Amino acid sequence: MEQIRTLGRADRFSAIMKKPSGYHRLFALWAIAALLSVPMMVRGQGRQVVVADKQTHEPIAHASIYTKINGKFQSATTDDLGRAVVRFAFSRLTFSHLNYETATVSSLPDTLFLQPKAYMTGEVVVEDREPQWIRALLKRFVKKHKRAYFSLPQDMEYSYQTQSIGERSFYRFLSSGLLRMKNNDDNHFWLSQKEGTIISVDTTKLTDVANMRRMLYEDFVSELDMDFIREHKFAVNDEYSGKRNVVELAFRWKDDARQDHGRIVIDSAECRILEVTRTMGLKYNKKHRVSGMLLAMSWALTGYQIVAWDTNYHVVYKDFWGNMLPAAIDYKFFFNEHESRPDASDREYYAATGGGFSNMEASMTLSASNGTNGEEEWKRLPKSWYIKMVSDEERQEKIALAHLPAVFKLYE
């Protein structure tokens, strides 16, 4: 029986293996050693480091490495093989990734191992077979979830944080306030911010709720439909131990397992999804998030193309007054695009909205609200978009969200 090896994590899943997992661990160690033995070609001086998972020893892509010394911020980002070159001096160097505990060092090792966060399960092996009850359970969930999820027109307290680290820039935005949930009458979320703080190395940054919009509108439950079930394969994680009737399902895209994979924790008796961890790559995102026709038109008109597009996503759902809502979401978004012939109006629009960031991490929590006082200023959160014909109203909404009131603090 062929086996699927899954780490149950947000950034790795399901290489189909015919050898036991111990051989794969040995191979991962050999691969890291091989990377270290081959010098990376760089311009100027620098030293290479590999960032890897402490449990599995697999490389970690898009981890941030940064420092601030003598008033100057410097950083590097690991590539798909977990490699980065540190070309700058430092006294303390920080390593961070959404799915791992942050680490700080005073000297650069050849390999830096990061500890996975608590919600990331360890290495398990599940058989590559799909019990018939899985699809029946998921189809039953699709039919009933609209009544049980996101259908509560209730104001919730939110706490949101997004962070982006560039080669010479650090940006963090913290926001808290009220979030009005969408309902059948109004298929949008609404935001009323109470407090906002920007932490950056300069004073030019604007407020950014783009990741909040992505986390809410690209929610797994909202996207779980019959097409998703048809396009994916499923298996049971026999090593998962939860409450009675709670099981963990591993899933992978039939076309390319590494392009969309993850795990679903589901109460089979109540038919409720409790937790999801998911990773999506460029191929899957381009197929399901953008129109191929509009992408081709953008290429013809402006030379626009998407070079990289990776997302890591983890959500925990909680029952609020009989309705399931995302109590906690962690989200990582790595996006690289190229436009060889930018339009002047687009440049003006990007300046008005802050331009966005390429390597971002965000988190948000929701909790029950104590109510409103009737003096809140509500702003509509439009659905996230990547390539579309945007109306003037949508542009103005996004510009307004980029200018929310916020206190500025200099990054230390």
Side-chain angles (χ1 to χ4, degrees):
M1 178 68 69
E2 194 172 43
Q3 291 181 324
I4 311 168
R5 176 178 175 276
T6 171
L7 306 179
R9 315 166 26 208
D11 65 341
R12 286 290 186 272
F13 175 84
S14 77
I16 296 178
M17 303 294 294
K18 294 184 179 180
K19 294 181 179 180
S21 59
Y23 287 95
H24 189 71
R25 182 188 294 274
L26 186 62
F27 176 79
L29 287 169
W30 173 86
I32 290 176
L35 288 173
L36 292 173
S37 65
V38 180
M40 179 182 285
M41 298 301 293
V42 297
R43 293 181 179 179
Q45 296 180 348
R47 181 177 169 186
Q48 179 176 297
V49 61
V50 174
V51 182
D53 186 296
K54 191 173 183 178
Q55 292 182 0
T56 68
H57 291 184
E58 289 199 6
I60 301 173
H62 312 317
S64 296
I65 306 169
Y66 57 94
T67 189
K68 186 177 182 182
I69 188 168
N70 297 327
K72 187 176 182 181
F73 183 87
Q74 300 265 9
S75 76
T77 303
T78 60
D79 62 15
D80 290 340
L81 297 177
R83 304 174 303 184
V85 176
V86 177
R87 300 184 178 90
F88 44 83
F90 63 89
S91 58
R92 297 180 66 212
L93 194 61
T94 301
F95 292 73
S96 70
H97 187 284
L98 176 72
N99 300 327
Y100 295 86
E101 302 294 341
T102 299
T104 302
V105 299
S106 56
S107 61
L108 190 66
D110 292 331
T111 305
L112 192 285
F113 293 101
L114 294 181
Q115 177 66 41
K117 287 187 176 178
Y119 67 76
M120 299 167 66
T121 59
E123 180 180 2
V124 297
V125 176
V126 295
E127 291 186 346
D128 186 19
R129 59 182 175 84
E130 185 178 299
Q132 293 183 353
W133 61 264
I134 293 180
R135 288 181 183 270
L137 175 64
L138 292 176
K139 289 177 181 178
R140 183 157 61 97
F141 177 83
V142 169
K143 291 180 180 180
K144 65 172 289 187
H145 82 269
K146 288 185 178 179
R147 297 190 301 272
Y149 288 75
F150 288 93
S151 61
L152 182 71
Q154 181 79 24
D155 298 339
M156 305 290 293
E157 296 277 351
Y158 80 86
S159 177
Y160 166 76
Q161 174 179 305
T162 187
Q163 176 175 293
S164 176
I165 298 174
E167 186 175 347
R168 291 181 176 82
S169 65
F170 178 94
Y171 171 85
R172 181 182 292 155
F173 174 56
L174 301 94
S175 176
S176 61
L178 292 174
L179 189 68
R180 181 162 291 173
M181 310 308 291
K182 66 179 182 179
N183 55 57
N184 294 331
D185 297 325
D186 183 1
N187 197 31
H188 287 87
F189 296 92
W190 291 77
L191 172 81
S192 178
Q193 178 179 273
K194 293 180 180 178
E195 296 182 359
T197 303
I198 295 175
I199 303 172
S200 181
V201 295
D202 60 63
T203 59
T204 62
K205 299 297 186 288
L206 304 176
T207 54
D208 184 6
V209 295
N211 284 325
M212 180 188 291
R213 295 163 55 211
R214 295 182 183 112
M215 288 188 286
L216 292 171
Y217 287 108
E218 296 171 16
D219 174 75
F220 179 83
V221 165
S222 300
E223 296 188 345
L224 177 57
D225 55 17
M226 295 302 182
D227 287 337
F228 180 93
I229 296 173
R230 281 191 293 269
E231 290 183 355
H232 291 76
K233 293 183 179 181
F234 304 90
V236 182
N237 176 7
D238 295 323
E239 299 296 321
Y240 180 80
S241 59
K243 296 181 180 179
R244 185 179 179 183
N245 298 319
V246 175
V247 296
E248 183 178 87
L249 306 178
F251 68 88
R252 69 187 191 276
W253 192 30
K254 290 179 180 179
D255 290 359
D256 188 340
R258 291 191 174 274
Q259 287 292 310
D260 184 32
H261 53 77
R263 62 187 182 94
I264 306 168
V265 177
I266 185 169
D267 186 325
S268 59
E270 297 290 335
C271 196
R272 285 190 170 189
I273 290 178
L274 308 177
E275 183 178 356
V276 176
T277 301
R278 188 180 189 186
T279 296
M280 290 165 283
L282 173 64
K283 182 179 176 182
Y284 187 88
N285 281 321
K286 285 178 67 174
K287 181 176 181 179
H288 290 84
R289 302 261 185 248
V290 298
S291 163
M293 181 181 69
L294 287 178
L295 186 59
M297 289 177 57
S298 297
W299 165 251
L301 294 173
T302 67
Y304 178 85
Q305 59 179 317
I306 302 173
V307 181
W309 189 351
D310 299 323
T311 52
N312 294 312
Y313 170 82
H314 175 255
V315 57
V316 175
Y317 299 99
K318 182 180 177 182
D319 189 321
F320 292 93
W321 306 290
N323 193 263
M324 299 293 284
L325 297 174
I329 310 174
D330 293 312
Y331 183 81
K332 184 170 176 61
F333 180 79
F334 183 84
F335 192 80
N336 189 7
E337 59 185 337
H338 173 72
E339 190 171 297
S340 58
R341 299 182 297 277
D343 182 81
S345 61
D346 285 339
R347 287 196 292 266
E348 182 179 349
Y349 173 64
Y350 292 149
T353 57
F357 303 96
S358 60
N359 187 16
M360 295 173 286
E361 299 180 355
S363 61
M364 183 170 66
T365 59
L366 293 178
S367 58
S369 169
N370 294 324
T372 62
N373 56 23
E375 299 179 359
E376 292 80 11
E377 181 180 351
W378 292 94
K379 294 185 181 296
R380 191 174 78 114
L381 289 174
K383 291 184 179 181
S384 52
W385 67 80
Y386 300 96
I387 302 177
K388 64 170 290 189
M389 304 298 291
V390 182
S391 68
D392 288 339
E393 180 182 1
E394 288 174 314
R395 285 186 173 233
Q396 291 306 314
E397 282 181 331
K398 191 173 179 182
I399 290 173
L401 292 170
H403 293 79
L404 295 171
V407 175
F408 177 83
K409 295 183 179 180
L410 188 66
Y411 173 77
E412 298 296 341

